[in-house]
Amino acid sequence: MHPERFFAQDRFPYAWMAAYPPLPPIRSLYRSGSQQGEPAPSLTFVLVHGSWADASYWSEVASELRRQGHIVHVPEYPGHGPDYNPGVTHEAITRAVAATITGCGLSDVRLVGHSFGGSVIQKTAELVPDRIRRIIFMNAFVLKDGQSVADELPPPVQQSFIQLRQSSPDDTIMLPYPLFRDTFANLADKRLADHLYSRMVPEPAKPLFEKLDLKKFYGLEIPRSYLYLTTDGVLPQGEGYGWHPHMSGRLGVFRLIKTEGDHMSTVKTAPARIAAGLYEAARD
């Protein structure tokens, strides 16, 4: 499977997405300020995608945030998108995101991570803490010091991923379609689920299994938020698993925002609602 074929301009025909009616936003005037109708200040967002995705994951949400007057950067990190590299490391990914922030001269950044991207923004915050105004996790991993992302997966999923990794010729993991359909895109109809899966490429395995030193992260005083998409089925909800409160509870004092959504498809079918949630999570 050659990655370039997944990034041609005609691979994502956005026009047909109009067939999916938008769900109601969290608030119809989520750009309003402290008083009704008062324009809200422009915020600077850096959006970091997760595994089995590339920067196009955020396309519709980024467009909506820009339409509202915000500054939005969506870095593509090594090992993904056109820079497909199965041998990429977690450190290389983190440094690339930090380099986007410093290279673009960004400050007061609202740094957003989705899924695996949660571990990336944890380490990025360690590298450029003075440039970040708030860290926002959207159904994202919040790892404890010394953990890997794989450590937070249920044992059967861990074992399945280890087997897929071992059987791969290049140390990658391809997400099985049944797992994707029922847990990553559970709110999508089959047409959309099939389309999203057709764009997927095998994920470099090493960053998922690398154990991270996060002592510095837990000493930072940067404000934190958790945007919880309540119908995401990727992690089981129960003792020892789940996005909220299992992951979010590790943040100490944090702002919690909730809205309906699954892991992969809601950003495509309801970008205005996800953008509204991100704004509420990000504002002062």
Side-chain angles (χ1 to χ4, degrees), residues 111-122:
L111 182 60
V112 179
H114 172 247
S115 194
F116 167 79
S119 69
V120 177
I121 66 173
Q122 284 183 280

Side-chain angles (χ1 to χ4, degrees), residues 41-216:
S42 174
L43 305 182
T44 298
F45 288 89
V46 173
L47 309 179
V48 179
H49 67 79
S51 300
W52 296 286
D54 58 35
S56 68
Y57 172 84
W58 290 111
S59 293
E60 293 82 1
V61 173
S63 293
E64 178 63 22
L65 288 169
R66 291 181 183 118
R67 187 182 70 80
Q68 296 293 334
H70 302 298
I71 299 166
V72 184
H73 293 261
V74 188
E76 186 56 273
Y77 51 69
H80 299 74
D83 186 20
Y84 187 72
N85 173 17
V88 71
T89 64
H90 197 286
E91 181 181 8
I93 291 170
T94 299
R95 291 193 175 279
V97 175
T100 295
I101 294 172
T102 57
C104 294
L106 305 181
S107 60
D108 287 334
V109 169
R110 274 65 177 186
L111 182 60
V112 179
H114 172 247
S115 194
F116 167 79
S119 69
V120 177
I121 66 173
Q122 284 183 280
K123 293 300 293 182
T124 301
E126 293 183 346
L127 296 176
V128 288
D130 56 321
R131 293 177 178 266
I132 299 172
R133 184 63 167 260
R134 183 173 286 269
I135 310 170
I136 302 156
F137 297 80
M138 187 179 90
N139 284 37
F141 289 93
V142 182
L143 301 183
K144 295 186 290 187
D145 179 39
Q147 276 194 318
S148 70
V149 169
D151 289 335
E152 284 292 341
L153 302 175
V157 178
Q158 280 190 44
Q159 190 57 41
S160 174
F161 281 5
I162 290 171
Q163 292 172 354
L164 289 168
R165 182 183 188 185
Q166 292 173 342
S167 64
S168 165
D170 56 359
D171 197 26
T172 60
I173 299 171
M174 185 58 188
L175 197 65
Y177 178 80
L179 182 64
F180 169 81
R181 177 68 184 101
D182 288 343
T183 65
F184 282 68
N186 46 298
L187 294 183
D189 65 20
K190 189 174 187 304
R191 181 186 182 193
L192 177 56
D194 289 351
H195 176 74
L196 294 174
Y197 191 76
S198 75
R199 292 175 49 82
M200 192 174 289
V201 298
E203 179 71 17
K206 187 174 182 180
L208 299 175
F209 287 85
E210 289 184 71
K211 295 186 182 295
L212 305 180
D213 183 339
L214 291 164
K215 295 180 183 65
K216 185 175 179 181

Side-chain angles (χ1 to χ4, degrees), residues 6-29:
F6 292 93
F7 301 99
Q9 291 296 314
D10 61 352
R11 288 293 294 170
F12 201 171
Y14 293 106
W16 66 263
M17 294 297 296
Y20 296 88
L23 294 172
I26 294 175
R27 292 180 182 172
S28 59
L29 294 174

